[in-house]
Amino acid sequence: MTTRTSARLAIDGGEPVRTTMLPYARQSISDEDVAAVAAALRSDWLTTGPRVPAFEEALAGFAGVRHAVAFSSGTAALHGAAVAAGLGPGDEAVTTPMTFAATANCVLYAGAEPRFADIDPGTLLIEPELVAQAITPRTKALLPVDYAGQPADYDALRAIADSAPGGPLAIIADASHSLGAMFDGRAVGTLADLTVLSLHPAKILTTGEGGAVLTDRDDLAERLRRFRNHGIATELAARRDWTYDMVELGYNYRLTDIGAALGSSQLERVPAFLARRRELAAHYLDRLAGHELLDVPVVDPRADPAWHFAFVQLRLDRLRVDRGTIFQALRAEGIGVNVHYIPVHRHSYYRERFPGVSMPVAEAAYDRLLTIPLFPAMTAADADDVVAALDKVTTAYRAA
Ligand SMILES: Cc1ncc(COP(=O)(O)O)c(C=O)c1O
């Protein structure tokens, strides 16, 4: 169990738990990463060079899939995956409200419409039973998110996708948080038709900005490569003269060789990053399990999450203030808490375009959610500071 402290809160002028802010996420950059980027900068190719396919090959090998197609961001990769899955005007994709807006936005980019299915209150992952209920004759794809790095229930989702009236539906995994996670002994990348990664600095592996789509299907990989390069059929390296043919409307969504160099260098340390993330998460779960004033994440026994971040849900029924007050008090204690996510359907754009969407579980979870710091360079003492601050602040605001 956790310690109790009655010290005055930093927000009220007391001593903070930490004098320097512990961020919720932070990239880990080594001297080798810097050298790899410098070598790319000194090479002939800043973009469309050899480091991009080298990174793609290494990433596919790590994930155990045939293809990794690199993109300029996770959002661009989601757009590519939505188009490769065949989404277009008149189609729908079922997704979760508990995600960054980009997940649902990619369905709109493709001209289709997202339909939301509510989440499980403990894992905050999309609830397969509700996915089944959200399917209509227009549904063409399922778009689960591996929230916080825990894989969604791909077995249940696959069964639903295969038996849907217009099925089998494509499954696009938004695995922006879950590179390296496992579900029932199978790795992320092998669980869906298309698996999308974000390679933003807060994520498991970074290329600066960047993203990738993993797939075992040759046809989908070819479509993705074309799509990220203006819809041009032949890649630069394969051209014999000046000619090229643009066969569909594509975009410039290419990752640079600078980013790819960083990605390849980082990839070597991903096993160590994952091990450290799992240690820190276990430390939190151990110290916070059974806490009277907050709930810890529920982990499916089949899942080995990548722990992109850790989160708690406040027991608002036992507290006399709301999440906003606790958030500010924790920040004052030097803990860089955050909130992931404002449910997508609650953003103004979605409210105006899709009025009347109600996702009671996601909305209730949002009201009591806090993301707490977790990144590979964090020490056990840092994690103890987070636990101490959570204890101090929640105890101070405990309802009478
Ligand atoms: C679940 C999820 N999907 C998509 C994205 C978009 O990725 P990117 O920032 O690389 O465009 C993010 C990143 O914040 C994310 O967390």
Side-chain angles (χ1 to χ4, degrees), residues 73-75 78 99-100 102-103 145 174 176-177 198 200 203 210 341:
S73 70
T75 304
L78 278 167
T99 186
F100 185 54
T103 311
V145 172
D174 183 340
S176 291
H177 303 173
S198 164
H200 174 274
K203 301 302 194 304
Y341 290 96

Side-chain angles (χ1 to χ4, degrees), residues 339-361:
V339 175
H340 296 94
Y341 290 96
I342 300 165
V344 178
H345 67 286
R346 284 178 51 163
H347 288 292
S348 300
Y349 179 86
Y350 278 89
R351 281 213 308 264
E352 279 161 32
R353 192 157 168 186
F354 305 103
V357 176
S358 161
M359 294 282 128
V361 182

Side-chain angles (χ1 to χ4, degrees), residues 14 61 69 72 100 121 144 151 153 173 190 196 208 212-213 229 233 246 264 266 313 345 371 387 395:
V69 182
S72 52
F100 185 54
D153 184 347
T190 65
V196 178
V213 184
N229 192 28
M246 191 196 116
S264 290
Q266 287 249 307
Q313 297 193 65
H345 67 286
T371 299
V387 172
T395 305

